[in-house]
Structures are given as structure tokens and as C-alpha cells.
Amino acid sequence: MKLFGKLRRNRKAVTTVESVIIVVLIIAIILSAGTLYYVSTVTRQLAELSTGISKLSDSVSKLSGDLATVSTTVEDIREILGRPPTTPPTPTPPPTPKYKETLIIGTTDSVEKTIDPAQAYDWFGWHILQQIALTLVEVEPGSEAGPEDYFPALATDWSVSADLKTWTFNLRKGVKFEDGREVTAEDVKYSIDRAIALIPEIPEGAPAGLGYDLVIDSVEVSDTYQVKFHLKIPFAAFLGFMGCRSSAIVNRDYAPIKEIEYTEGDVRASTPVGFLGPYKLTMWVRIAGRDTEMRLEANPNYWNAAVYPKTKNIVYKFYADPTALRLAIEAGDIDIAFRHLRSADVIDLTKNPNLKVWWGVGAAIQYMIFQEKIEPFGDARVRRALAAALDRPTLTSTVFLGLTEPLYSIIPKGMLGHTEAFKELGDANYELTRNLLAELGYNEDNKLQVELWYESSGHYPMSAEQAVVYKDSFEKSGVITVTIKSADWASYKLNRDNEIMPVYVYGWYPDYVDPDNYAFLYWAAWLHHNYENPDIVVLYDQARAITDPTERARLYAEIDKIAVRDSPVVPLWQGVAYAVTKPDVEGLVLDITQDMRYWLVYAEIPA
Amino acid sequence: MGLRSYIVARVLLTIPMIMLLLSIVFLVVRVLPGDPVLLHFEKRATPEAMDAMRQKLGLDKPLPLQYFEYLAGLLRGDLGKSMQDFSSVGQQIFSAFPATLELTIYSMAVAVTLGILLGVRASRSYNSPLDHSIRAFGIIMYAIPIFFLGMIFQIIFGIGLRWFPTGLRMHPAMEPPYGLNLGSLHISTGLYTVDSLLEGNIFKFLQALRYLFLPSLTLGLVLCGVFIRLTRSNMLETLGLDFVTAARARGLKERAVVYGYAFRNAFLPVLTMMGLQFAVLLGGAILTETTFSWPGLGRYIVDRINFRDYTAIQGAVVFFGLLVALVSLVVDILYAYLDPRIRL
Amino acid sequence: METRRTILASLLPALASLTKRGLAGWITVIGSGMVISIVLMTLLAPWISPYDPSAINVGPRFSPPNGQFPLGTNHLGQDMLSRVFSGGSIMLQVAALSAAVCLVIGVPIGLLASYAGGKLDKVCSLVMDSIYAFPALVLAIAIAAILGTGVVNMALAIAVVYVPSYFRIVRSQVLTIKELLYTEAARAAGAKGRTILLRYILPNVVPSIVVVATVNFADAILTAAGLTFVGLGVAKDIPDWGWDLTDGRALLPSGAWWVITFPGLMIVLLALGFTLIGEGLSELLNPRLEQ
């Protein structure tokens, strides 16, 4: 009341300051009103969440069922490789529908270092290379990336010698670099030679990691449009190698034998690939080591430019974390959200009528490792006991809401060689756990002490939540106590190498789609878990040197059996791929390659 | 001690301070567990590959040598090469800084404006319910975790009402403002609001403001409490002083007394506080930048610590230290200039 | 002995007259009340929690507040009520420990350096200013990354950041008091430096230290939340409001508002409590001019 009296007396003094306060109060009221409104509408929707989750797990299990029934009968590969593969039917130009000119992609990824095929080894670097560069062969979108699913890209046909050591590729004619020069076998030789030559200088690159120098002996230009690869070992999965982004063709006029790094403001100088792919890179802005903007534009020099890309321009926008990405797609700021979204967010978005959720095959896996140098984990019985105590279905439903699948072999479902071997040890098989541990003197009064480590800086999704569930599963056996420890990625890797973590969890995604790229994880030296078994390695080397899929599957099954017996590494789960888009977006393919081919994607403009 | 010698003394004092900071950080980051070499190998790493990487990063040299090489580079103005992607640290910091600067400036503006206005109003109605609610408002705002507040704003204004965007600095479909081009001369500050005006593009300017609104509001609200308290207490002190009573006695209007006399004297401490809060703002920017996907220095440092990018961390620390030292130096000099009692 | 008596002698009258001192006194009492009730709640948590706060899947996940789970459950099926009861323990420990470290390190250094003056003072001031200049959260993150996770390490990280604040306050007070008449008198009477420091200076510095400590507590709580947000908090299986805040933030767009709200509210109340104590005390100890 005093206030009002003052107001009346000093009219002039009232205006500015008082009005600001009124504005502040109004904002506060809007805030509270808005919160209440939002909370009320959303709580209603949430009541349906549990039914949504169960519906989702149903569709996911249906999906895996479909994958499992995929035909395992495959023709003799040598025969296929010997004769030229069926060329894809020349597409009759479809009636030009109206497609949106630009699509905006939101992601939390970032190019790790460069988009130089001799260096790039991260998912996003490879992703960009796939849009702008060309390799000899490509995997047919939507296929299982089996040996017969490789399609001509720069190469039109190919053949292999009987000993699997000499591979010959015939090249497409008339493919031009950006500067107008035609691509010939010389360029292919230069690209691969360069990748191998740079291995000492770029030890962290893909050619080094994949072992180009261990596989390829020499590259021969047998004709202007024909190139021959002479290998050091018989290697059945060589097509996979040639489909890798590290085998992309570079323009030697812009690619000296030196790593090509990001150059601010000059896209041309930031990559050596001469833009042979469906797109060319027109803008790349990197601030403080993270991408902030990338733009792709249709490449007129692409050999299949008549058909692809369907969308002329692609713009990438980079978000700091999955929550920010979810908010962006929900707000309609972007057309496509891909990598990464949390499970709860994806399930929510399936209920959103303004968005479309796409599902696909996952090839990312996680597995648990036991450090055999630390007792008692050197004893296989302890490892098997812990493996038996794991409860994968609870884990996948609790932490990932059904968006991952329990995995019972180090080779994921959908790939040749996958088995359900670890089912032998079971899930939450506490009786087996107790029996095995009793043999070593562990019981309710003398519990096995386990130190479980997880990575804490977000390198793996939901790693902390997973650790909590694993601890719970182990302790439910009644004879195990678990202490959870964490380290950020840098320390985690160091701890791994210093072999101080008794039990730890690791992840893997494929370089190329072949069981060869997975099976070795059981004994991989760089995991530092000190498991050695010469028999298992013999089986592995045999499997990579033959092409008969039935025989290979048998060998990988043998490997799995040994793995179950020794349990050096225990597979945990396999991811499911997903993307969220606006309803008018079409053409997304989420197959086992884990690639996202934006040249297939389009949004129709309503007539 | 004259003003000139005061300035010289302060500047000279800054240098050993920075040196000390730098040396502390140099040691600290190398003590950090985790081997940066390993971080480059996503998958497998042979011992030979790791040795090659170590050489490439310059970590195989003895520690004192690394230290002196770094110092030498620093004197040349070279902050070294990032250990993650081998690009120039100086260039990375230089590119990230404008984003943080813009956020800091606007947040400071929000905090100071709100703080002063509310503080003055509170002081004028001392001990009234309005006074208490304003003080309470300031205190409560500071106690709210920044990412919590930011999240609420994102949900209400970004998704619910769709008035403001939920992240980034500019609309995804628009190109960032490029500043002014006068023939071969290119002027660009990196501050989107300034650059878009230089470009003459009002639409971009408005968009930049729109994208700035929520992050600066969040950070500004959290920090306005400090300014409310400061302004209020200083105003109360000043309003009780003799010359103010004298002015009132002379029959000047209340408003003239408040803003003409009292306020100007109360403003000095606010200036100092702005300098002090600058460091706090830079720190608070980390959480804000993560919440709103703002590509600035705060996020940069956290990224680099995770990556054990020694050179980048050192560079950022030196940069921050210099920045804060510069700001406090300017503030101190201004203060000394305006108030002769302060010079020692 | 003398010191303790002197300190008590100056504090007790202050405490007794709290409620009589008007608004400032009431603010201190309210703040203390908030803090004490939260501390009590945390201490009593094992007895009053209906469920084990770390047990997963005790109920349906994502369930909103209802009869069985008054504050709902989170994404792992943990009971939020139990988590709210026990979640403050980590933060309180971190805050208390960091305050203790700061007091033990910052105050003595501040006293000695400023009393002795000269080179020692200059060097200490330089070091402290360097640390003070640095953005707090960044330094805390860097140190927590070195030391690793855990209560002690978090507390040390926060302590390093706040020691300069204590140092500065102590130093400014000491410099003022040093020049006062009665100190001169004491020196003239032949009292030793140490005696002067402990008997005359320290008791007068204590009130300011207490105020700084309360602000330090409030800041420590918020910084601990920030550290957990960037993944440098305690292990995930320990109930902690910081974790609930981080998880809750990711769940908020899904509509699970109860995961972040209640722990968030508790953090705000705790930080607020300490701030109120600080506000009230500082007004009591440095009374404003009445208009």
C-alpha cells in the first residue's frame, strides 16, 4: 500500500524501473505456467510408455527373427568371382518427381582428424568419404554384405586367381576428377601405394590398422583400365578391403605422399579425394577441433549422376550431446537425426506423429573381458561362472529398452558365422555359477571379489547404467561382490594396456563386414587380457583363407565353442541401428554395413 | 605513486603470474593419467605404431626439453599443435573464442542490467516486501544448477512454445555471417551479431539474437544475484551519505537524486565486480555451452582434457589466464583512475 | 586455550542474539534450519528409505509419482524417494571435506603471509591470484581428471579452487587489523608476533572466514553437481543427487520430470540454505546503515 502511495506521488520515477520488474514477474509467471502445462500434457503420454516399450520389443524380436531366417545357402564364391557379376539394369530415368533441394542432418558426431583415406579411421570420417569419394567396389545397400553383394563402383568387373592371391579389376571408363582428368588404373595404383607408403608416418590410420602392408604385396597396372593386386596371403575378404574407405581413389595432383589435413576456408585443400562420389564437399567449418558445419552438393562428375544423388544439397549440423539432438529433431530444426540418440528418446519419438523412426541392422557389439593375469581370473572356471551369471535380457531391456539384443557369439547376428554358443552358459544361470565357484572355494561366506570397470566419458553409450546392471546380476548369484570403478577414455585405455583392470567392458564396430573382422576379438593382443590359444588362431587363419561359406561357418562355430569353454571374452549385446526423420523423408537404408548413404535419401515435395 | 607507475607495476606483475600458471598447467597435464598416444588408436596398436605416434607427438623427448621448446614457441606467439588433429592450437582457440566471447558479453549484459535495475529498486524500498523478494530472487537464481535452468528454458521456449531454438548459434539453413568485405580487406569479428550487422543483413542479425537469447538468459539470470546484492548494498550506503541528504534538502526530485548522484558513486564497485565475474562467467560457460550446443572455448577445454591434448590444454589455460589478467588489469586501472584513494 | 575461549566468547553472544537481531537473524536461522534438516534427512536415510536406493528394477521403470513410489522411479527402476533421502550424502561429504581442507590450508597461509608481509606476502599473493584468476570449473575438472573419481578427490579438486578465496579474505582482514591501534598497543607492550596473531587478529578474522565458508559450501555443492555432469563424479552405483540431475536431464524431454525435479530441488535448497546462512551472518557481522 505504501508502494501505491509512492506511485501516485512520483509518477515519473515509476516508469522504467517498475516496468522492468513487472516484465520479470511476467516471465516468472510464464515459466511456472509453462512448466505446469508441459508437465500435465506429458504425464498423460507417459502412461502409455510401458505399452510402447513392449510393442517395441515385439517388433525388434520380429526383426531378429527375420534376420535369422535369411538364407544360408550361398553359391560357390569362386564361381561368382570368376564370372563378371550381373551389371545392375540401367535404370530408366524415372519421371522427375519434385524432391526437396536440401536436407538438413543433425548429428553428435564429428570428423576426428581428417578426411584423408590414408588416415581417417573414425565412423564419421568414413561416412563423409563415402559420400564424396569412390572405391573400386561398393556393398549393395540393404544386403548382408556377403561376398556376392559387392557391386561395381569404379570397377565394372573383377576376377580372382585360384589361390586367392591375385585380384584383377577392370575399371569404368570416362570417370573424371573434379579438374577434368580421367581416372585410370594409374590413379588406383597411386592411391593404394600412397596409403601403404604413409603407414609409417600415420601409424594411427586405417591402412595401418587394417594391415594394408600385411595383406597387399604390390599393385600392378596391367592396362590403362585394368589393375592387378598381388597379395601376400590368400585373403577371401579382399573385396571387403577394397570397399573400405581407406581404399578410396585420390587425385594424385592434389595428394602428395603426406597427410592431407583440414585447411580452414579451403575445402579443396582439406581432402585429396578429387570428389568422385555422388557428392562434393563444398563447406567444412571446424571450430576448436570439432565440426560445426559441413555442406555437400551434387557432383556432376559422378559416374551415376543421372540417378544419384536424389537430394541436391546435404547440410550437416553438429550438436553437443544426444539430448540436444533429440530436442532439435523434435523442434523441427533438422530433417534427419542420426547418431546418437538415447533409447528412451527414440522410443518417445516413435509416438510422435510428426516424426518417422527408421530401424535397421546393428553391427556394433559390446563384450566383457577378463584379465587373466589377475587371479583368480586366470582360471577358466571363474570366467565361465561370471559369464553364466550375466543376465543379458535384463540388461538389454533395462538399460536400452529393447534397442539392443543379447549376443551369444562374438560374431553378430546377420553375419556369416554367427552362433548362439554362449547360450550354453545361459543367462542368470546362478546354479552353474555357484557350482563352478564352489569348486574353487567360493561360497556365501567367502564371496568372490570382483572389480568391474567401465568407461565414464561417454565413449560407449550408457556404460555407467550397464555397470550397475552387471553388478546387480553378479551379486544376485549370492557368491559374488562387485565394486564398480570407472575411468575416462584416456585412462581406461591406459589401464587396459597396464593390465590393471580385472573385469572390463569394451566395444567394437566393423571395419568391413566379414566374420574375419570380429572373430579375432576373443584373443586380440591389443585387448591385453593375456589369453593365448594357438589352436583357435589356426582355425581363424584357415577360415580367412577359404571361400566356401559352409566350411567357414563351421570353422567359426568351432572358434565359438572354444571361446565358450575358455570364456576369455564374453559377448554381451548387439546394437540396433535407428534414425529419426521428418515424415516426408524416404530412402534411408540401415543395413549391416552401418553406412548411411545420403545419395539414396530424398523428401518428396507434395504436388 | 602516480598512475603511470601503477599501470607499469601491474603489467609487470602479470607476467610472472602467467608464467607460474603456465608452469603449473604444464606439469599438471603431464601428470594426468592416460596416455595421449593410445587415444589415437581406436582399435589395434602395435608397439611400433605406438612408438611412431609418440615421436609424432613429440612426447619422446625429455620433459625439460619439452618445457623449453614450448616456452620458446610461446614467445614466438606459437601455441603449438594440437595432439588430437595436429592443427594449430592458436588457430583453434582463436576460432572458438568469439563464440564464448559473444555468450559472455550478452550474459554479462543481462546479469548487469537486471542486477542494477533490480538492485536500485530494492535499495529504494529498503526492508519492504519488494526488497526482500528481489533479494530472494537473486539468491535463488544462483542456487539453481545452470544446466537445469537451461534445460527448463529449452523445453518451455524451444519445444513447448517454439519461440526460440534449442541449440547452436544460427539457423541450420542459413550460412553463418561473414562480416564485411571491402575489396581485399575482410573484417570479421566472429561475433555473429556484429558480423551480421557488418554484412548489412538484418535478418541474420535477428536470427543471431534469437539463438543467443536462451543461453545468455540462462547464464545471466544465474549470475544477476551478485549484481543485485552489490548494487543494492552500495546504493544503500551511498544514499545514506551526506551529499545525498544535501541534494534532497535542496529539493531535487527523488529520481534525480538516485540516478544523478548516488548511482554514479555506487557504480564503481559494479565495474570491479564485472571484472571479477568475468572469470566466473568463463567457467559457467562450460555448462551452458554443453546444454545449448554452443561451440565455444568451454566445450573446447572439456573436450581436450578428455583427449589428453596437452598442447591444447596448455594453450587454453594460458589464453584464459591472459584474458582474465587483462580484464582485471583494465578494471583495476579504470578504478584507480576514477578513485585516487585506491592506488597503493 | 586462550584462542578457543576468545573465539567462543565472541561467537556465543552472536548466537544468543540471533533471533533478536531482526531480519538478518531470521535469515540465518532459516538457512541453518534448511541445512540441518537436510543433513538429518541424509543421516537418517538408511532407516527411513522404503527401498535400497541403488537397487534396480524395484518397480516399473519411468513410473510417475504414485502411491507406491511417492516420487516415482527412474530409468533403471530405482525408487526416487529413497534416492532423494540418501543422495545428499556425497555432496555434503565433498562440501565439508573441501571446506576443511581450505580452512587448514588457506587460513594459516593467509594469516602468516599477510602478517609477515614482504616477500612471503608477495609470493603467496601471486600464487593465489594465479589460481583465483582461473575459471573455477575448468580447474576443478582438470584436477578431478588427474586424481580420479571419488569423494576425497572431488573434495580436493574443489578445495584447490577455493583456497584463494579464503586467503584473500583473511589477508584483507589482517591488513586492516594490523594497523589498528590496539595492535600497536599490544606490540608496544612487548607481546610476541604469534600471540598478537592468535589472540587479537584471529578472533576478528573468524567471522569473515565463517561467511566465506558458507559461500564455499554452497559453491562446492554446485561444483560437485557440475563435476558429476561431466562424468567426474563418484561411481554410478552410489546414490547421488548429481547423478540424478545428469540422468534426469536426459530423461526430461521424455516427460519424466520427477527424476530431475526432486533431487534438483534438494540441491537448490541445500545451496540456498548455506547461502542464507552466509547472507544472514554477513549482515549481522557487518551491519548496514539504517535509512
Side-chain angles (χ1 to χ4, degrees):
Chain A
M1 298 314 104
K2 252 194 251 172
L3 184 63
F4 282 78
K6 245 193 180 167
L7 283 174
R8 269 188 240 118
R9 260 180 276 133
N10 298 3
R11 284 273 166 81
K12 266 210 194 133
V14 163
T15 41
T16 359
V17 179
E18 256 72 357
S19 41
V20 168
I21 294 175
I22 293 173
V23 168
V24 168
L25 284 170
I26 291 177
I27 291 179
I29 293 172
I30 292 178
L31 247 154
S32 13
T35 330
L36 288 169
Y37 163 73
Y38 188 74
V39 159
S40 63
T41 45
V42 156
T43 322
R44 248 188 300 117
Q45 295 171 3
L46 208 64
E48 299 144 53
L49 188 66
S50 35
T51 29
I53 295 176
S54 43
K55 268 197 222 147
L56 187 73
S57 340
D58 286 345
S59 18
V60 169
S61 36
K62 196 165 85 69
L63 177 74
S64 32
D66 291 340
L67 286 172
T69 55
V70 155
S71 165
T72 47
T73 57
V74 173
E75 305 176 44
D76 186 28
I77 298 197
R78 209 180 300 157
E79 211 178 293
I80 293 176
L81 292 173
R83 77 181 132 78
T86 39
T87 40
T90 27
T92 43
T96 34
K98 282 289 173 194
Y99 292 149
K100 262 164 108 168
E101 288 257 319
T102 308
L103 284 178
I104 302 178
I105 319 288
T107 181
T108 59
D109 276 326
S110 185
V111 172
E112 197 164 292
K113 229 200 267 192
T114 72
I115 40 181
D116 182 346
Q119 191 276 327
Y121 207 1
D122 56 316
W123 188 90
F124 197 69
W126 273 27
H127 167 74
I128 296 290
L129 275 174
Q130 193 184 28
Q131 321 299 310
I132 64 176
L134 204 59
T135 48
L136 285 175
V137 295
E138 275 169 18
V139 176
E140 168 74 18
S143 70
E144 286 127 42
E148 77 283 14
D149 293 316
Y150 280 89
F151 254 82
L154 181 63
T156 49
D157 51 275
W158 50 88
S159 59
V160 64
S161 64
D163 63 355
L164 294 182
K165 282 170 89 166
T166 309
W167 297 68
T168 313
F169 293 85
N170 289 314
L171 304 181
R172 201 177 295 273
K173 301 186 178 58
V175 181
K176 292 200 167 60
F177 283 114
E178 229 193 352
D179 55 8
R181 191 165 61 76
E182 196 189 7
V183 181
T184 64
E186 286 287 345
D187 294 298
V188 176
K189 176 173 164 65
Y190 182 81
S191 309
I192 305 298
D193 281 348
R194 174 176 179 269
I196 297 179
L198 281 171
I199 284 180
E201 207 181 294
I202 314 179
E204 78 280 8
L210 286 165
Y212 272 47
D213 50 345
L214 302 171
V215 170
I216 301 175
D217 188 36
S218 67
V219 187
E220 179 198 333
V221 174
S222 44
D223 192 10
T224 327
Y225 298 104
Q226 192 186 73
V227 62
K228 270 195 176 43
F229 290 89
H230 300 283
L231 305 184
K232 290 182 180 168
I233 54 164
F235 192 29
F238 189 65
L239 277 183
F241 240 54
M242 284 297 110
C244 276
R245 245 66 77 208
S246 32
S247 310
I249 310 303
V250 303
N251 185 347
R252 62 174 179 267
D253 296 333
Y254 297 100
I257 306 289
K258 182 176 85 77
E259 189 176 342
I260 302 296
E261 291 171 3
Y262 167 72
T263 309
E264 200 194 357
D266 189 350
V267 170
R268 156 78 273 157
S270 301
T271 174
V273 295
F275 302 144
L276 296 172
Y279 286 103
K280 47 183 185 166
L281 185 65
T282 54
M283 187 193 281
W284 185 16
V285 180
R286 224 169 141 72
I287 289 183
R290 273 182 146 252
D291 298 334
T292 51
E293 179 119 4
M294 282 180 114
R295 283 171 190 254
L296 303 176
E297 213 178 274
N299 181 11
N301 287 332
Y302 181 50
W303 65 267
N304 206 2
V307 188
Y308 298 122
K310 295 204 167 162
T311 304
K312 296 278 160 265
N313 301 298
I314 301 281
V315 175
Y316 289 89
K317 283 290 168 178
F318 299 89
Y319 291 86
D321 67 351
T323 311
L325 184 59
R326 179 238 162 100
L327 291 173
I329 187 83
E330 245 181 337
D333 291 342
I334 53 182
D335 295 301
I336 301 176
F338 183 53
R339 292 175 63 96
H340 300 266
L341 288 167
R342 299 171 72 117
S343 315
D345 291 332
V346 176
I347 293 189
D348 270 355
L349 296 173
T350 55
K351 330 270 290 317
N352 188 328
N354 301 321
L355 293 172
K356 195 158 51 165
V357 178
W358 300 69
W359 302 101
V361 184
I365 66 171
Q366 287 221 328
Y367 44 95
M368 189 173 280
I369 310 170
F370 301 105
Q371 178 53 258
E372 307 202 0
K373 262 216 192 129
I374 299 181
E375 286 308 323
F377 301 100
D379 190 323
R381 285 172 293 179
V382 172
R383 301 198 294 271
R384 280 210 300 281
L386 286 171
L390 286 170
D391 189 353
R392 295 172 187 79
T394 303
L395 175 82
T396 54
S397 59
T398 306
V399 178
F400 297 103
L401 306 178
L403 262 62
T404 58
E405 288 199 16
L407 186 62
Y408 299 99
S409 155
I410 204 78
I411 298 172
K413 202 178 273 183
M415 224 177 263
L416 171 78
H418 170 76
T419 67
E420 306 278 290
F422 273 86
K423 271 208 170 133
E424 189 190 311
L425 293 174
D427 284 305
N429 190 350
Y430 298 126
E431 207 185 300
L432 181 59
T433 308
R434 280 194 284 267
N435 289 343
L436 284 167
L437 287 177
E439 284 178 39
L440 287 129
Y442 294 106
N443 49 48
E444 262 123 38
D445 302 309
N446 173 23
K447 295 194 182 172
L448 173 65
Q449 306 282 337
V450 172
E451 207 177 79
L452 174 65
W453 285 75
Y454 72 90
E455 191 282 330
S456 62
S457 55
H459 195 85
Y460 296 133
M462 311 290 275
S463 44
E465 282 82 352
Q466 284 185 64
V468 170
V469 175
Y470 295 137
K471 167 175 166 146
D472 187 66
S473 310
F474 285 155
E475 291 189 340
K476 274 214 171 80
S477 68
V479 294
I480 305 174
T481 23
V482 179
T483 332
I484 296 185
K485 294 191 107 128
S486 69
D488 67 346
W489 187 232
S491 318
Y492 197 67
K493 275 188 153 174
L494 191 64
N495 292 349
R496 175 199 74 190
D497 285 3
N498 290 338
E499 301 173 2
I500 62 170
M501 305 188 286
V503 181
Y504 50 111
V505 174
Y506 234 70
W508 180 256
Y509 63 88
D511 298 322
Y512 52 90
V513 180
D514 191 275
D516 186 73
N517 198 241
Y518 279 87
F520 71 91
L521 290 168
Y522 284 130
W523 64 88
W526 50 271
L527 284 174
H528 282 265
H529 58 308
N530 296 297
Y531 172 70
E532 263 148 35
N533 186 333
D535 301 328
I536 213 176
V537 181
V538 162
L539 289 168
Y540 177 78
D541 286 336
Q542 276 178 354
R544 75 178 349 197
I546 60 173
T547 52
D548 174 15
T550 332
E551 182 59 18
R552 286 186 87 199
R554 193 191 64 81
L555 287 166
Y556 288 121
E558 283 294 318
I559 291 179
D560 266 346
K561 279 212 194 71
I562 299 180
V564 171
R565 191 195 69 204
D566 290 344
S567 290
V569 160
V570 178
L572 294 166
W573 51 263
Q574 169 181 5
V576 166
Y578 46 81
V580 181
T581 70
K582 287 194 172 151
D584 55 352
V585 173
E586 305 282 348
L588 250 75
V589 174
L590 294 168
D591 63 9
I592 196 154
T593 60
Q594 308 302 293
D595 292 336
M596 179 56 93
R597 306 168 180 83
Y598 281 119
W599 62 88
L600 301 171
V601 179
Y602 58 93
E604 274 188 22
I605 303 180
Chain B
M1 193 193 246
L3 185 62
R4 200 169 293 173
S5 14
Y6 178 72
I7 296 178
V8 168
R10 285 287 281 114
V11 170
L12 283 179
L13 209 62
T14 313
I15 297 176
M17 210 168 91
I18 299 295
M19 279 294 305
L20 190 67
L21 192 63
L22 172 67
S23 308
I24 294 176
V25 166
F26 187 88
L27 282 167
V28 157
V29 293
R30 275 164 179 73
V31 167
L32 280 171
D35 192 348
V37 171
L38 280 173
L39 284 167
H40 287 271
F41 297 97
E42 177 65 32
K43 298 184 173 176
R44 22 192 156 181
T46 59
E48 300 83 43
M50 286 191 0
D51 282 337
M53 197 66 212
R54 193 165 314 233
Q55 251 191 356
K56 196 171 172 187
L57 291 171
L59 288 174
D60 55 334
K61 301 185 200 145
L63 206 61
L65 185 59
Q66 290 185 44
Y67 183 66
F68 286 114
E69 275 189 355
Y70 185 72
L71 278 184
L74 212 56
L75 287 172
R76 279 199 308 272
D78 174 19
L79 282 165
K81 282 192 172 312
S82 155
M83 285 184 180
Q84 186 217 351
D85 59 2
F86 304 103
S87 51
S88 154
V89 169
Q91 195 263 332
Q92 284 182 342
I93 293 180
F94 189 67
S95 64
F97 178 57
T100 304
L101 184 64
E102 198 171 25
L103 181 62
T104 310
I105 292 177
Y106 281 86
S107 308
M108 182 70 89
V110 169
V112 170
T113 318
L114 263 181
I116 291 181
L117 286 172
L118 289 175
V120 167
R121 193 61 196 85
S123 67
R124 284 184 51 205
S125 48
Y126 181 67
N127 255 343
S128 69
L130 182 64
D131 179 23
H132 297 317
S133 16
I134 290 179
R135 290 175 69 195
F137 175 74
I139 295 175
I140 293 175
M141 275 297 149
Y142 188 73
I144 300 183
I146 297 181
F147 48 95
F148 187 19
L149 190 63
M151 192 81 198
I152 305 278
F153 283 153
Q154 274 176 325
I155 301 245
I156 297 175
F157 294 109
I159 300 195
L161 296 169
R162 297 236 174 156
W163 288 353
F164 295 101
T166 54
L168 303 186
R169 293 180 77 190
M170 182 53 78
H171 195 277
M174 294 173 71
E175 285 193 24
Y178 48 79
L180 189 61
N181 277 319
L182 294 168
S184 53
L185 182 65
H186 179 80
I187 305 176
S188 146
T189 59
L191 304 178
Y192 280 16
T193 44
V194 173
D195 281 349
S196 47
L197 284 178
L198 282 176
E199 201 181 305
N201 190 332
I202 292 295
F203 192 55
K204 270 193 195 168
F205 174 69
L206 290 174
Q207 279 294 341
L209 278 181
R210 201 168 150 255
Y211 276 78
L212 261 171
F213 186 79
L214 286 183
S216 359
L217 186 68
T218 309
L219 201 47
L221 270 178
V222 169
L223 288 173
C224 73
V226 175
F227 291 98
I228 291 178
R229 187 186 326 171
L230 188 64
T231 315
R232 179 181 170 278
S233 66
N234 282 308
M235 283 297 289
L236 286 175
E237 259 187 60
T238 327
L239 282 173
L241 291 177
D242 289 338
F243 73 92
V244 173
T245 327
R248 279 213 191 94
R250 282 210 294 279
L252 287 172
K253 284 233 175 71
E254 186 63 21
R255 188 174 186 216
V257 172
V258 168
Y259 287 106
Y261 287 89
F263 182 67
R264 254 191 247 148
N265 286 280
F267 186 69
L268 271 174
V270 172
L271 196 63
T272 328
M273 186 56 82
M274 277 172 72
L276 282 173
Q277 289 300 309
F278 188 68
V280 178
L281 260 179
L282 286 179
I286 293 181
L287 298 172
T288 321
E289 284 178 12
T290 314
T291 313
F292 290 96
S293 296
W294 198 263
L297 272 182
R299 248 181 64 187
Y300 178 69
I301 285 204
V302 176
D303 271 348
R304 294 302 139 157
I305 289 178
N306 272 336
F307 227 103
R308 300 290 187 274
D309 190 345
Y310 295 163
T311 27
I313 297 171
Q314 281 158 215
V317 166
V318 170
F319 184 75
F320 266 119
L322 273 172
L323 200 61
V324 175
L326 189 70
V327 170
S328 59
L329 182 66
V330 166
V331 167
D332 277 352
I333 291 176
L334 256 171
Y335 205 74
Y337 178 71
L338 294 168
D339 187 353
R341 294 175 294 169
I342 304 304
R343 288 170 226 163
L344 287 156
Chain C
M1 212 48 289
E2 285 289 300
T3 326
R4 255 179 272 166
R5 230 182 278 164
T6 333
I7 294 176
L8 280 172
S10 43
L11 273 184
L12 277 174
L15 284 170
S17 63
L18 259 182
T19 44
K20 296 188 209 145
R21 294 281 233 110
L23 184 64
W26 276 111
I27 290 179
T28 317
V29 169
I30 292 175
S32 318
M34 285 162 79
V35 171
I36 291 174
S37 28
I38 291 181
V39 171
L40 271 175
M41 177 184 80
T42 313
L43 288 172
L44 293 174
W47 291 278
I48 54 177
S49 306
Y51 297 93
D52 176 1
S54 328
I56 61 171
N57 283 327
V58 294
R61 301 188 286 274
F62 297 103
S63 72
N66 55 42
Q68 200 194 0
F69 302 102
L71 295 183
T73 61
N74 67 3
H75 60 303
L76 287 174
Q78 296 170 316
D79 174 35
M80 289 311 297
L81 184 65
S82 314
R83 286 186 75 83
V84 162
F85 283 154
S86 14
S89 140
I90 298 293
M91 289 200 162
L92 285 169
Q93 287 175 51
V94 168
L97 194 55
S98 72
V101 171
C102 282
L103 284 170
V104 162
I105 297 183
V107 172
I109 294 183
L111 285 174
L112 281 169
S114 46
Y115 189 72
K119 281 218 178 79
L120 181 65
D121 185 27
K122 285 224 167 66
V123 168
C124 285
S125 296
L126 198 63
V127 173
M128 291 297 171
D129 277 346
S130 307
I131 303 178
Y132 194 74
F134 201 74
L137 190 60
V138 179
L139 195 55
I141 289 176
I143 296 177
I146 304 174
L147 301 173
T149 57
V151 172
V152 174
N153 298 336
M154 277 172 84
L156 284 175
I158 294 173
V160 169
V161 170
Y162 285 104
V163 159
S165 310
Y166 286 80
F167 176 83
R168 282 179 152 217
I169 284 288
V170 166
R171 183 168 177 274
S172 72
Q173 289 283 58
V174 169
L175 286 178
T176 327
I177 297 173
K178 222 165 68 160
E179 309 307 321
L180 287 177
L181 272 171
Y182 70 85
T183 331
E184 290 276 344
R187 214 178 292 137
K192 270 197 263 204
R194 193 165 61 101
T195 333
I196 299 180
L197 207 57
L198 291 177
R199 183 191 285 207
Y200 293 98
I201 299 186
L202 182 59
N204 287 285
V205 170
V206 164
S208 308
I209 295 180
V210 170
V211 174
V212 171
T214 54
V215 175
N216 177 196
F217 262 88
D219 265 339
I221 288 164
L222 293 171
T223 312
L227 281 176
T228 314
F229 187 62
V230 295
L232 291 165
V234 293
K236 192 70 194 277
D237 60 337
I238 300 178
D240 177 34
W241 289 337
W243 274 124
D244 292 328
L245 224 57
T246 314
D247 294 335
R249 180 177 169 266
L251 294 173
L252 198 54
S254 301
W257 56 272
W258 53 91
V259 183
I260 194 178
T261 311
F262 300 111
L265 203 63
M266 298 309 288
I267 292 181
V268 172
L269 287 174
L270 191 59
L272 204 55
F274 280 117
T275 317
L276 285 177
I277 296 179
E279 285 277 318
L281 277 180
S282 86
E283 184 132 327
L284 285 175
L285 299 166
N286 306 306
R288 292 268 143 246
L289 298 162
E290 301 286 321
Q291 264 207 301

